[in-house]
Amino acid sequence: MERTLLQWRLLPLLALIAALLYIFFASPRSFQGNNKKCSLLPHDHYWISSKRIVTPDGVISGSVEVDGGIIVSLVKEVDWHKSQRSRVKVIDYGEAVLMPGLIDVHAHLDDPGRSEWEGFPSGTKAAAAGGITTLVDMPLNSCPSTVSPETLKLKIEAAKNRIHVNVGFWGGLVPDNALNSSALESLLDAGVLGLKSFMCPSGINDFPMTNITHIKEGLSVLAKYRRPLLVHAEIEKESEIEDGSENDPRSYLTYLKTRPTSWEEGAIRNLLSVTENTRIGGSAEGAHVHIVHLSDASSSLDLIKEAKGKGDSVTVETCPHYLAFSAEEIPEGDTRFKCSPPIRDAANREKLWEAMMKGDIDMLSSDHSPTKPELKLLSDGNFLKAWGGISSLQFVLPVTWSYGKRYGVTLEQVVSWWSDRPSKLAGLHSKGAIKVGKQADLVVWEPEAEFEIDEEHPIHFKHPSISAYLGRRLSGKVVSTFVRGNLVFREGKHASDACGSLQLAA
């Protein structure tokens, strides 16, 4: 009896010990704090000071306290003496800007199956060097495409211990699963953050285009999960297709004629015929439509603004390459600039910037879409046959800042476009702001520092030679990148281990 009583009294103590052991060995905080190879900073608890900290309440001079990968306090400089604790590391970045890490909701890392195009290791190293702390990987250009729980599992396995920043995944909405609600539910239950579809041929055999019926059915399922559908909004209009056969294929204008603005306008008009269901009280309330990489700043954007005004749950992104380049300046045969929808003329670029500054375009993404150099056909310069896609992942922050300065872009706007709104789109509510309780995903950068992207500049994505940004002089040098408290990049050097976290929907 006494022995039984003793055992009973020991049970709570044993349970407590077991719980502590579990936390020590299994929790993310313990993992990050004890694996020193995850971070260039041998501290789990520290302060970061800066004269320019971008917070939800504005830019302040002060300090951020990080403990176990979480922001635990934020103090203004005048209150610093009250909060500083002895024996805690302080990193003072002076005039450099401290802001939330970028969240890129549109990147193609091509892993597994086409890692010769990019791959998780090189792609996430480039992201870290560019101040991006979270990527959401697109479901296509990897092989197989991510359209089922089984193919998502392949992605997850390929990413484990090979990612230097946080990585989440979009799933694919394709004809094979669009009309099968249980198939879509299984994919969403497996952890994708939302779905992506094409309204035109994607160029990938196992990722065929969807029609408006597929999209409508997909939205009805997404409504239950309150997750978004991302849409490549171009529709081929056969009567308007110009195959360029009578024009020079080395001329960019030849390619531009083959994808007119009417393709975007037609797709968006079609798409908005079902987004009305996402309004409050609609049959797909809870679902959300996000239009990716908008290029046309005229009639297509007008349609989106009108739908928002009516209460449709719709957002839209554009990309730095549409804000940096114009059709008139693309050299003959330079297929590094080919993408779809295409880069349009300088007048359109001005309208895109105007829409950004007014808030009509919600956010930015890289649409980093690399390939093997031989598929870009750089020696032939044939725009009609070359693979499309801009390689940009490492440079989106300085590109946004460099080209945005003439329009009066502020640090707060950069955070809104690259951190706050993307975090909400992807449902990553623990990220996107420097605020107590948020994860310590942070970037430190020097807006005034200039650099040239040349052969001597370290570029971390797999094929630097195919980037359209080569030869550009930019402002905005990334100094340090923190991912969940780990200093994963500092002054050109990465942490030795890839300790990024998978971001799966619950």
Side-chain angles (χ1 to χ4, degrees):
M1 180 69 176
E2 289 181 0
R3 181 178 178 181
T4 302
L5 183 62
L6 179 62
Q7 289 174 331
W8 179 81
R9 287 176 175 173
L10 284 174
L11 282 175
L13 179 60
L14 292 171
L16 176 62
I17 293 171
L20 290 172
L21 287 171
Y22 175 80
I23 292 171
F24 183 81
F25 288 108
S27 74
R29 173 174 171 171
S30 172
F31 173 75
Q32 292 175 7
N34 288 280
N35 186 348
K36 302 304 182 185
K37 293 183 179 180
C38 290
S39 179
L40 297 169
L41 181 68
H43 302 280
D44 198 40
H45 183 198
Y46 54 87
W47 288 87
I48 303 175
S49 295
S50 168
K51 298 290 186 182
R52 292 184 285 181
I53 303 175
V54 188
T55 77
D57 299 318
V59 180
I60 67 168
S61 176
S63 300
V64 175
E65 184 181 10
V66 176
D67 191 4
I70 303 295
I71 297 171
V72 296
S73 65
L74 171 63
V75 297
K76 294 183 178 179
E77 186 177 16
V78 294
D79 300 320
W80 169 241
H81 67 281
K82 302 175 185 177
S83 302
Q84 188 175 4
R85 299 290 183 267
S86 60
R87 299 181 184 178
V88 176
K89 174 70 175 177
V90 178
I91 312 168
D92 189 350
Y93 283 106
E95 295 291 336
V97 171
L98 173 64
M99 71 181 204
L102 280 65
I103 298 173
D104 187 357
V105 296
H106 191 156
H108 299 266
L109 298 185
D110 312 324
D111 211 345
R114 289 192 178 94
S115 56
E116 70 274 16
W117 290 20
E118 187 61 87
F120 286 121
S122 60
T124 57
K125 274 192 171 184
I132 298 170
T133 52
T134 302
L135 291 170
V136 188
D137 190 31
M138 281 291 168
L140 71 162
N141 293 13
S142 54
C143 187
S145 293
T146 309
V147 296
S148 67
E150 293 75 22
T151 50
L152 175 62
K153 185 177 180 181
L154 295 176
K155 277 269 192 189
I156 293 170
E157 290 301 318
K160 283 182 179 177
N161 302 314
R162 299 175 72 233
I163 53 175
H164 295 265
V165 300
N166 304 310
V167 175
F169 307 101
W170 302 118
L173 179 73
V174 293
D176 282 349
N177 63 20
L179 304 181
N180 185 336
S181 60
S182 62
L184 287 181
E185 289 170 359
S186 296
L187 180 55
L188 291 162
D189 288 339
V192 297
L193 301 177
L195 301 176
K196 165 74 181 293
S197 75
F198 270 71
M199 297 179 75
C200 62
S202 71
I204 299 295
N205 291 336
D206 68 344
F207 205 94
M209 61 183 282
T210 50
N211 59 35
I212 202 64
T213 300
H214 299 136
I215 290 172
K216 184 177 181 180
E217 292 302 313
L219 287 174
S220 67
V221 175
L222 285 163
K224 305 172 189 176
Y225 291 80
R226 308 192 74 81
R227 296 182 204 168
L229 173 66
L230 285 71
V231 182
H232 181 128
E234 285 184 290
I235 283 184
E236 292 183 341
K237 295 190 173 184
E238 293 184 10
S239 60
E240 297 184 14
I241 290 179
E242 297 185 39
D243 63 12
S245 59
E246 297 180 359
N247 298 292
D248 181 5
R250 290 178 53 82
S251 169
Y252 180 76
L253 296 181
T254 297
Y255 170 63
L256 185 57
K257 291 176 185 177
T258 68
R259 298 187 92 103
T261 57
S262 59
W263 282 29
E264 287 188 85
E265 180 188 355
I268 290 170
R269 190 180 298 278
N270 195 13
L271 181 62
L272 296 182
S273 69
V274 297
T275 60
E276 62 183 25
N277 297 330
T278 64
R279 299 173 192 170
I280 296 174
S283 60
E285 179 184 352
H288 178 81
V289 171
H290 180 71
I291 297 167
V292 299
H293 52 42
L294 181 76
S295 172
D296 173 34
S298 295
S299 52
S300 299
L301 182 59
D302 289 340
L303 288 170
I304 296 168
K305 289 161 59 177
E306 183 181 347
K308 287 181 177 181
K310 293 178 179 178
D312 295 16
S313 185
V314 176
T315 49
V316 60
E317 71 184 44
T318 192
C319 305
H321 45 272
Y322 299 122
L323 299 171
F325 306 131
S326 67
E328 297 93 332
E329 66 188 52
I330 295 175
E332 183 176 280
D334 198 343
T335 55
R336 295 176 302 170
F337 291 87
K338 180 182 178 180
C339 59
S340 60
I343 296 164
R344 305 197 187 277
D345 61 29
N348 183 79
R349 178 179 61 186
E350 290 297 309
K351 289 182 179 179
L352 284 174
W353 271 114
E354 182 181 346
M356 292 296 306
M357 299 305 289
K358 288 183 176 179
D360 294 329
I361 295 175
D362 301 280
M363 66 191 77
L364 291 170
S365 74
S366 72
D367 190 16
H368 177 68
S369 186
T371 187
K372 297 184 294 184
E374 50 265 36
L375 293 183
K376 293 297 280 187
L377 304 181
L378 295 172
S379 58
D380 296 336
N382 188 325
F383 278 103
L384 301 180
K385 294 183 178 180
W387 183 265
I390 305 291
S391 293
S392 61
L393 196 56
Q394 187 174 331
F395 305 120
V396 292
L397 175 55
V399 168
T400 302
W401 184 252
S402 299
Y403 290 91
K405 285 190 296 183
R406 62 176 290 197
Y407 301 93
V409 167
T410 66
L411 295 172
E412 293 96 327
Q413 284 174 312
V414 173
V415 168
S416 176
W417 298 336
W418 277 111
S419 303
D420 176 53
R421 291 175 181 173
S423 72
K424 292 171 181 173
L425 175 71
L428 301 173
H429 302 298
S430 64
K431 304 180 182 298
I434 294 181
K435 187 177 180 181
V436 172
K438 298 280 190 179
Q439 292 178 351
D441 291 348
L442 307 166
V443 58
V444 180
W445 62 294
E446 298 172 339
E448 295 78 21
E450 295 186 355
F451 63 96
E452 188 167 344
I453 305 175
D454 54 22
E455 294 178 355
E456 296 181 1
H457 188 84
I459 299 176
H460 298 283
F461 49 78
K462 184 158 286 184
H463 300 295
S465 66
I466 65 173
S467 177
Y469 291 103
L470 284 176
R472 300 279 166 162
R473 188 166 184 81
L474 302 176
S475 298
K477 177 187 175 185
V478 173
V479 176
S480 298
T481 304
F482 296 82
V483 176
R484 297 184 71 170
N486 287 326
L487 180 55
V488 299
F489 176 82
R490 179 177 59 195
E491 296 287 356
K493 182 181 179 182
H494 290 84
S496 60
D497 281 9
C499 299
S501 298
L502 294 173
Q503 304 297 302
L504 300 178

